[in-house]
Amino acid sequence: MQIQPTASHFINGAYVEDTAGHFIDVVYPYTGEVVAKVHSATPAIIEQAIAAAKAAQADWAARSGVERGRILRRAADIMRDRNHDLSVLETYDTGKPYQETSVADATSGADAFEYFGGLAGALTGEHIPLAGGDFVYTRREALGLCVGIGAWNYPTQIASWKGAPALACGNTMIFKPSETTPLCALKVAEILYEAGAPAGVYNVVQGLGNVGASLITDPRVAKVSLTGSVPTGKKVYASAAEGLRHVTMELGGKSPIIIFDDADLENAVSGAVLGNFYSTGQVCSNGTRVFVQKGIKEAFLNRMSERLASGVNMGDPQDPDTNFGPMVSENQRSIVQGYIEKGKAEGARLVHGGGTPEKEGFFIEPTVFADVTDDMTIAREEIFGPVLSVLDFDTEEEAIRRANDTEFGLAASVFTNDLTRAHRVSAAFEAGTCYINTHNLAPVEAPFGGSKMSGVGRENSKLAINHYSEMKTVYVSMNDVEAPF
Ligand code: NDP
């Protein structure tokens, strides 16, 4: 299949190039090879995208919700039909195994277009009766031109999770992918256009953070939705505030998993595997602080080590049997290696992995530390790689207090067979997305997002509609105007 895109940007319904923009190499993380090159957006490209998206918005918003929804649902169908090719591309872009990308990326994007396509025709305001026959009605209106900025771990999914609710509400979008993974969002734009989205409704421009920064400071932009790290979130939030723009911030985490003695051990190990090693640990909501009650700690560690020793198949990510891929980049691998060294230096017990396999690609072994304490760097900072820390505890009260002792608040999960404890602990978690006896599922029907430093707003579900639209109040008088003079 063709990896090199037709051109770097997708604007106003067509691929567009400006070779004056500097080159961004697309590196396949399994081989280190440059598999494609795109140009960063120049000021002329940014202007072209903003002008096109702004010009397209009024007509798009004026169409009926049913019509917008039909186009989004058609895009969902096309994505499903092309799942294989899109998954292969996602694997080249990110290095995640095809075994994952074929079930978690384009499929999740298609779910978003189908779900929000279904909602588009049902978006309404309300009628509010008042005294004397007067009444108010509200109109749910689009915000206007929205900017989406994505991280590199789920490029198709992020481009779709932002695009689908934005377009359903009658907004237009300019999406800037991470410069590490620029390819997949172009396919989302191509598919939307093919499905009937008018030119300019969904545009993609490439570039580093500075391209994102100049998009969000433009006065024609009404909203920015970022998926990225907390430091970037602070910068983007601050510059959006200058123009009082709407924001959605999907940021990082250091989420806890609490496993009680009475939990099903095999399920708890599976949850911790999913919450630490899926996508080679490059998932925002990962449960990287695994609090295990003392009575089952050694049994948990033994079973986790057995599962990792016998189950991990590290290799060519395009091979459907591979279930553990490389890190997205050499840089990200060395960041993770640095954290592993810190874990050892600060006295954590290395139970599994910790090394870099002798093979091509930016691989790092799935790594488990035990006897981790709350103050260690590996227990406090987001690592964004396959490093699981086990911390032990005695009581429920202690586990909750320590689990919440973090600036982050993205996700949290509890494993127990005690029904009331499961709900009590979930209520006590300071996190936006909680799980009972599982971890890391994100169906489009459910709100997803973070509390505290992990974010502002929610993606997915009916709630996302509130973050891509606003209510206009129309007061209707049925009586003469009463004036004092
Ligand atoms: P970054 O914060 O480094 O980058 C995110 C995006 O923001 C990139 O496209 C980046 O561009 C862009 N950017 C950087 N600086 C600016 C700026 N000043 N103005 C506008 N845009 C800017 O995150 P990563 O790409 O490294 O992704 C990993 C992070 O994303 C982790 O912290 C992870 O937890 C978080 N994440 C959160 C999710 C959630 O839903 N809560 C889901 C997935 C990831 P470029 O990189 O091209 O320079």
Side-chain angles (χ1 to χ4, degrees), residues 147 222 239 342 372 386:
V147 166
S239 58
K342 273 201 189 122
V372 176

Side-chain angles (χ1 to χ4, degrees), residues 32-46:
E33 251 180 287
V34 174
V35 288
K37 279 174 180 285
V38 295
H39 290 276
S40 179
T42 55
I45 286 288
I46 293 171

Side-chain angles (χ1 to χ4, degrees), residues 232-256:
T232 303
K234 287 183 187 170
K235 285 189 225 160
V236 170
Y237 203 171
S239 58
E242 283 290 309
L244 287 181
R245 294 187 179 88
H246 297 254
V247 294
T248 298
M249 296 277 147
E250 291 291 351
L251 308 178
K254 191 74 197 172
S255 301

Side-chain angles (χ1 to χ4, degrees), residues 429-464:
F429 275 140
E430 296 170 1
T433 309
C434 297
Y435 301 93
I436 295 173
N437 292 331
T438 189
H439 195 84
N440 258 0
L441 304 176
V444 69
E445 298 92 331
F448 182 83
S451 303
K452 291 155 80 176
M453 297 294 272
S454 290
V456 176
R458 293 290 180 267
E459 294 198 302
N460 289 343
S461 80
K462 284 179 273 184
L463 273 186

Side-chain angles (χ1 to χ4, degrees), residues 149-153 158 176-180 207-210 212-213 216 226-230 232 235-236 250-253 283-284 382 384 410 448 454 459:
I149 301 177
W152 41 257
N153 57 344
I158 295 171
K176 188 206 84 69
S178 164
E179 106 277 3
T180 311
L208 294 166
N210 62 324
I216 51 183
L226 169 79
T227 296
S229 61
V230 171
T232 303
K235 285 189 225 160
V236 170
E250 291 291 351
L251 308 178
V283 180
C284 52
E382 184 182 43
F384 226 58
L410 187 51
F448 182 83
S454 290
E459 294 198 302

